[in-house]
């Protein structure tokens, strides 16, 4: 069964600290993996998208890694800011068909001063 | 500005009163989709459309209808809303299919059915 699991469910960190969010998936055959940031009550916004051949991709203070062998991805946030408070959603796409997206339930990150 | 728009952003209605949530994109995308988001369940797909006049069910289509008469518009119709359809709804679009291409999400519609 194709699944995407994220951990932790929620996380509280101090402003300026780093953190890492995890995403494990069983989706096969794999096409790509995306990380989205979703502010409360707003639509998700894409942070990174990685294909099978990419094992790291950065977007400012956000760095995503992908290990396609172990089917794991992580999103590392460096020097967190209050504006990083949001939900982070991992989405994995399958090669079969054009509509095969599998969503994680997200990690709720709260950055406190 | 390239964007996906939804209207209304907030809606409170009563059981059984038909409603439509509009979605429009200005990026000439072929693929459009509707999702609902509930606490602890994440985003779940309701319906999607690969192109004009082509629609198909997602994971949770019961109680919803859609139409795709024009490329830019993809309205979501609730013929007889019920309280279990209280949720946050998102429309999304992408160039060609959801798998290979980045999806752009609308701002969301918060629906409450009393």
């Amino acid at each position: 069964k194709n699944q995407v699991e994220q951990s932790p469910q929620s996380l509280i960190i101090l402003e300026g600290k780093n953190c890492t969010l995890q995403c494990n998936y069983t989706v096969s055959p794999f096409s790509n993996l995306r990380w989205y940031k979703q502010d409360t009550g707003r639509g998700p916004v894409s942070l990174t998208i990685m294909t099978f051949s990419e094992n790291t991709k950065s977007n400012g203070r956000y760095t995503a890694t992908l290990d396609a062998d172990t089917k794991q991805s992580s999103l590392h946030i460096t020097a967190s800011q209050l504006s990083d408070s949001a939900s982070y959603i991992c989405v994995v796409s399958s090669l079969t068909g054009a509509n095969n997206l599998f969503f994680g339930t997200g990690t709720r990150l709260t950055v406190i001063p | 500005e390239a964007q996906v728009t939804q209207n209304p952003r907030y809606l409170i209605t009563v059981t059984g009163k038909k409603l439509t949530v509009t979605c429009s994109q200005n990026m000439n995308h072929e693929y459009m989709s509707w999702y609902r988001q509930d606490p602890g369940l994440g985003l779940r797909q309701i319906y999607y459309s690969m192109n004009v006049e082509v629609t198909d069910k997602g994971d949770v289509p019961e109680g919803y209808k859609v139409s795709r008469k024009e490329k830019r518009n993809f309205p979501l119709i609730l013929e007889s809303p019920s309280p279990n359809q209280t949720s946050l709804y998102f429309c999304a679009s992408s160039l060609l299919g959801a798998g290979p291409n980045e999806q752009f999400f609308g701002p969301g519609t918060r629906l409450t059915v009393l």
Side-chain angles (χ1 to χ4, degrees), chain B residues 32-92:
Chain B
M32 298 186 74
S33 181
W34 275 104
Y35 299 89
R36 61 177 289 173
Q37 188 175 37
D38 303 289
L41 296 178
L43 286 156
R44 293 181 293 167
Q45 190 179 54
I46 302 170
Y47 269 94
Y48 67 95
S49 169
M50 298 296 292
N51 211 326
V52 175
E53 301 291 3
V54 180
T55 63
D56 211 340
K57 296 177 181 179
D59 298 318
V60 288
E62 295 77 21
Y64 304 94
K65 286 176 56 178
V66 293
S67 68
R68 187 92 183 274
K69 293 183 170 54
E70 309 165 279
K71 183 181 274 193
R72 65 183 293 128
N73 296 323
F74 190 45
L76 179 69
I77 303 156
L78 284 72
E79 294 270 3
S80 183
S82 62
N84 64 13
Q85 292 178 299
T86 293
S87 186
L88 181 57
Y89 292 87
F90 291 101
C91 180

Side-chain angles (χ1 to χ4, degrees), chain A residues 32 34 38 46 98-99 101, chain B residues 31 37 45 48 98-99 102-103:
Chain A
N32 60 66
R34 311 121 187 251
Q38 184 180 19
S46 179
N99 189 57
L101 286 183
Chain B
Y31 178 94
Q37 188 175 37
Q45 190 179 54
Y48 67 95
E102 179 181 356
Q103 277 204 98

